[in-house]
Amino acid sequence: MLNLLQDVVDNFLQTKATLLGRANVIGAPDQIALLEAIPARIEQHLAARGIAHLYKVKGSIGNGNIARVPWVSIFRTSITKNAENGYYIVLLFSEDMSSCFLSLNQGITAVQKMYTRTFALRKMQEVASAALKYLEIYPETVQGKIDLKSTGDLGRGYEAAAIESFQYYAQELPSEKQFFENLDFLLNEYSLLENIFKADLYSLLDVSEEEFQQVALEKAAMLIPEKALDGDPPGGVALGNASVLGTKGFVRSPIVSATAIRNANFSCEIDESHWTFVSKAKKQKYVEAHHLIPICHQNKFEFSLDVVANIISLCATCHRMLHFGVAEEKRTLLKSLLKKRRDGLRSRSINVKDEAFLAFYGNSEILE
């Protein structure tokens, strides 16, 4: 293994320059190590332990363009089979080849698509920090963020999403024995997390109401008006389909809420003349997304409540009034909003009677 790591460290940058940054396979020593030899050696080790059938091992030098940070990943297939989501062990080489990391890491792409890149980077660090509390920390590991000397988005994602990692410097690469001892330690840590969280480490992803509304508004501002959808954006229903984030409630997709806000043209759907301030999100009017049938009642419905038909764009005052106002102020407005959205809800197989709907918003006073 030492020689294979050395092949990557010594040759990758030269191969990259020779190929003018294109990920063409030419049989260079670094490419053989990353795409064939290192994965094969890891698979042999897993087979010797009798666990090879649980994992998929894959190396990458990039797709189209050569990767700034090449990698070899070890995916537990019950958790994930790719680097975009879930969590996995990955051997990462720093962009300048000064070091490499054997890292228990997370897929950031899925979270980035659902929220925004800046938000995803911050939240992945929070998830990593929370996950560490469940692990048997090894004194020699780097806990949390690592430094891959990255100048690219993917590399920065790996840096932020790292949970626990062993770092090896180019002049002090590990022996065969040390590398596989370290790998076995991380495999154990991997199993600890799976026993607790299964495939859903994102149950540690705590998104506050304020954060959700800000991201939804930012995404709404990025949508092209003529492409705003009457239905649900691709992936929206699946992202919100009664998936539980631990004890923190049901998943809400900012993409779905953003579509509803854009369709309402950033206005309050109770009264579009309601004044609201201009937000930082591309200087659009500040409004908030409200689930007409509250998402906390998802377990009463077979189909997802996180759909555009169930989301109302409201000014901040009206939003808080529906949550905290007195019954006599809410009753008429709620019935009017339900009438406006009833056909759309039915088209999503969401059916609710007026009495049951009103009961979601308070005690018996609202039904009188």
Side-chain angles (χ1 to χ4, degrees), residues 114 156 189 210 276:
M114 189 171 183
R156 293 192 183 107
E189 300 285 71
E210 181 180 350
T276 182

Side-chain angles (χ1 to χ4, degrees), residues 221-232:
M222 291 187 286
L223 289 175
I224 301 171
E226 57 268 26
K227 291 187 178 180
L229 306 174
D230 292 329
D232 299 292

